[in-house]
Amino acid sequence: MPVRPSRITAIAAACLFSLSTHAVELPAADLYKQAQAEQPSYLETVKELVSVDTGTGQEKGLATISALLVKRLKELGATVQTTPATPSVGDNIVGTFKGTGSKNFLLMVHYDTVFGPGTAAKRPFRTDQERAYGPGVADAKGGVAMILHALKLLKAQGFDGYGTLTVLFNPDEE
């Protein structure tokens, strides 16, 4: 399923704005501009994720993406824990950010797909003027990237007006 890059910017801005409305003093238009500036980096992350086969049970690809997600969460300042997703393969990844506010948030998405081995090579990531294509772009590697980049934007704002912000990446939606 293709995703429109222009909609991606709007979604990132909405995520950022919804978490930060009480503490960030920038007008919504400025937050939107920051989300627009983040779009190329976001698309690179989607490309990196889509380029690895992570069909449910594909241990090698899931391990590759798991390592990438752990690294990215740590770079963003999260405390990260992983646990095996037994009886499936792969790890549940939990990233925790502690803030100064009172509201708690959970951002959750799976990082596996329904595509068989070799699909990433047969259908590589690509974009046109309006859309992004590739196995898992919309379900749910685009969502994984959205979380990472929304967190990056929050960090750039110095926003910590939440109690706890927890991110859960699951390797086995199916």
Side-chain angles (χ1 to χ4, degrees), residues 78-144:
T79 301
V80 180
Q81 294 180 320
T82 62
T83 56
T86 307
S88 188
V89 299
D91 288 329
N92 290 310
I93 304 162
V94 178
T96 306
F97 300 85
K98 295 293 185 183
T100 60
S102 61
K103 303 293 182 187
N104 298 320
F105 295 90
L106 172 64
L107 304 174
M108 179 175 64
V109 66
H110 64 94
Y111 61 97
D112 66 323
T113 67
V114 296
F115 301 101
T119 304
K122 290 178 196 167
R123 295 181 36 215
F125 178 81
R126 67 180 177 85
T127 60
D128 62 23
Q129 296 295 339
E130 300 253 336
R131 295 182 174 96
Y133 301 87
V137 163
D139 185 17
K141 292 180 178 184
V144 170

Side-chain angles (χ1 to χ4, degrees), residues 34 49 53 61-62 73 97 127-128 166:
Q34 288 182 3
L49 295 169
D53 286 318
L62 291 168
L73 285 170
F97 300 85
T127 60
D128 62 23
T166 304

Side-chain angles (χ1 to χ4, degrees), residues 4-47:
R4 295 174 188 254
S6 59
R7 287 188 185 167
I8 292 165
T9 300
I11 293 167
C15 288
L16 175 63
F17 187 72
S18 68
L19 284 174
S20 63
T21 54
H22 300 295
V24 175
E25 296 181 20
L26 283 177
D30 290 344
L31 292 174
Y32 183 72
K33 285 179 187 175
Q34 288 182 3
Q36 284 179 310
E38 188 65 22
Q39 184 172 318
S41 180
Y42 165 83
L43 288 172
E44 281 301 312
T45 298
V46 175
K47 180 180 181 179

